[in-house]
Amino acid sequence: ADKTGANMPCLVTGKMAPAEAVHPAIKGIRGAQSSGAALISFNAPAFCSYGKEQNYNAPVSQYAAFAYTSALNYLIADKEHVNYIGDTAILCWAEGAEPAYQSLACMSLFGTPENYSETDIRNKVRKLAKGDNVEFDDERINAEQTFYLLGIAPNAARLSIRFFYKDSFGNILKNIDEHYKRIEIKRPVYDRFTVMPLWKMLSETVNMNSRDKSPSHIMAGEVMRSILTNTKYPATLLNGVNLRIRAEHNVTPGRAAIIKAYYLKNNSKYVPEEVLQVSLNKESTNTPYNLGRLFSVLENIQSAANPGINTTIRDRYFNAASATPGTIFPTLINLAQKHLSKIGGGLQVTLNKEMTEILCKLGEQFPARMNLQEQGSFQLGYYHQRQARFEGKKEEKE
């Protein structure tokens, strides 16, 4: 009787209705079969039970099957409002189906098009996060409107649901805004990302010289989920950043921002709030943070003594200095004294003063080893000191 589509309890509506044996295909998901993929399917006897075949194992009425596949195909076809993180397509929609909600949500997560002001979008997001209503694209955006986000990814001939999130539009934007507050950091003047969109954040975990430049699919989904729910970031995000820093010996603005955001949300006694600042905190007494600052000053001294040098102490000693400072720093300080004698003049006095001020905060002995969290403080100290140096050069030119 089941094979004829007899009445069965629908898992979607809960009503008795004719069940659909094979659901319509869902098309347009990048990486899935071009002919379409199935969200629900049974294609081998091993997946079936109680003598039922195909989708009678998970009965969905013909109406519900038609409705959900038609809705998904409609949302996927709207390319303006479909974004990807890794292999996962992010679909979003308001309960009232107004496109302005989709546009604002996409801009707040994935970046602002050139015809919109980033500042204006941030202001609207913050107003909605407080529960205020705003005007956007000639529509009134209601903070209480129910909003949905769906992450859907290819899995051979099937599709997988990575996450499904439902909340008021204001609450969703509040969680996104909290994420952007955590990830804010002093950036170079040439950096075009005053607010780092999600795709750029995830790219900081990727080797840009590799053939495949996409981030880990599982990590991308976990990061997205943590942002939407305002919960702890996954450890895989920090691990990805640390792998790139160790490989490239480079703390980029994006990587520093991720380290800051990670420890602000995922508290650690080894990374105090005094180091988790937007810019340099000269008053911090945290040893790993000041060791990172010192390393930046020592690198600056080397560069001043050898203009145009291709390989600095960062390329040779950064990883060792952050992990075993007691072994490395005495050698680097002796090297810096020789470099200072070559520089001479007012610059020598300035650089020597910077180095001495930080050394006074550190005492006579350096830590033998530093754990992963302490290395995060080191990396932030290095980045903040380096960025402050570039800011100082900019002010001198002006």
Side-chain angles (χ1 to χ4, degrees), residues 87-127:
D87 67 339
T88 305
I90 310 299
L91 311 179
C92 58
W93 66 95
E95 197 164 80
E98 302 90 343
Y101 288 88
Q102 291 173 290
S103 298
L104 187 53
C106 290
M107 288 180 199
S108 65
L109 274 170
F110 302 105
T112 308
E114 291 182 2
N115 53 329
Y116 287 90
S117 161
E118 207 165 69
T119 304
D120 189 39
I121 297 298
R122 300 299 325 144
N123 289 338
K124 290 185 188 300
V125 167
R126 283 176 179 161
K127 284 182 180 179

Side-chain angles (χ1 to χ4, degrees), residues 2-162:
D2 291 343
K3 296 179 182 179
T4 63
N7 283 1
M8 300 179 73
C10 175
L11 295 178
V12 177
T13 65
K15 298 177 181 178
M16 295 294 292
E20 184 68 274
V22 179
H23 295 193
I26 297 166
K27 300 179 181 181
I29 295 294
R30 192 168 67 194
Q33 290 184 161
S34 57
S35 58
L39 196 59
I40 304 168
S41 69
F42 297 81
N43 63 347
F47 306 141
C48 301
S49 58
Y50 295 100
K52 293 181 171 60
E53 296 180 359
Q54 297 179 313
N55 285 2
Y56 295 127
N57 284 271
V60 175
S61 67
Q62 294 171 358
Y63 162 76
F66 169 78
Y68 90 79
T69 53
S70 297
L72 279 175
N73 281 323
Y74 175 82
L75 289 166
I76 295 165
D78 181 12
K79 299 303 181 187
E80 185 180 343
H81 297 123
V82 178
N83 292 275
Y84 282 85
I85 51 169
D87 67 339
T88 305
I90 310 299
L91 311 179
C92 58
W93 66 95
E95 197 164 80
E98 302 90 343
Y101 288 88
Q102 291 173 290
S103 298
L104 187 53
C106 290
M107 288 180 199
S108 65
L109 274 170
F110 302 105
T112 308
E114 291 182 2
N115 53 329
Y116 287 90
S117 161
E118 207 165 69
T119 304
D120 189 39
I121 297 298
R122 300 299 325 144
N123 289 338
K124 290 185 188 300
V125 167
R126 283 176 179 161
K127 284 182 180 179
L128 285 161
K130 293 177 182 176
D132 299 333
N133 298 337
V134 300
E135 293 288 333
F136 181 72
D137 277 359
D138 299 324
E139 285 189 34
R140 186 161 182 78
I141 305 295
N142 179 6
E144 297 301 318
Q145 175 66 281
T146 303
F147 196 74
Y148 302 86
L149 287 117
L150 172 68
I152 189 165
N155 181 14
R158 295 183 177 86
L159 296 172
S160 298
I161 299 298
R162 283 276 160 83

Side-chain angles (χ1 to χ4, degrees), residues 186-190 387-398:
K186 194 75 175 178
R187 308 178 76 85
V189 290
Y190 59 79
Q387 189 55 39
R389 183 169 85 240
F390 293 140
E391 288 290 319
K393 287 182 179 179
K394 179 192 168 190
E395 288 172 8
E396 286 175 14
K397 287 180 181 178
E398 289 175 350

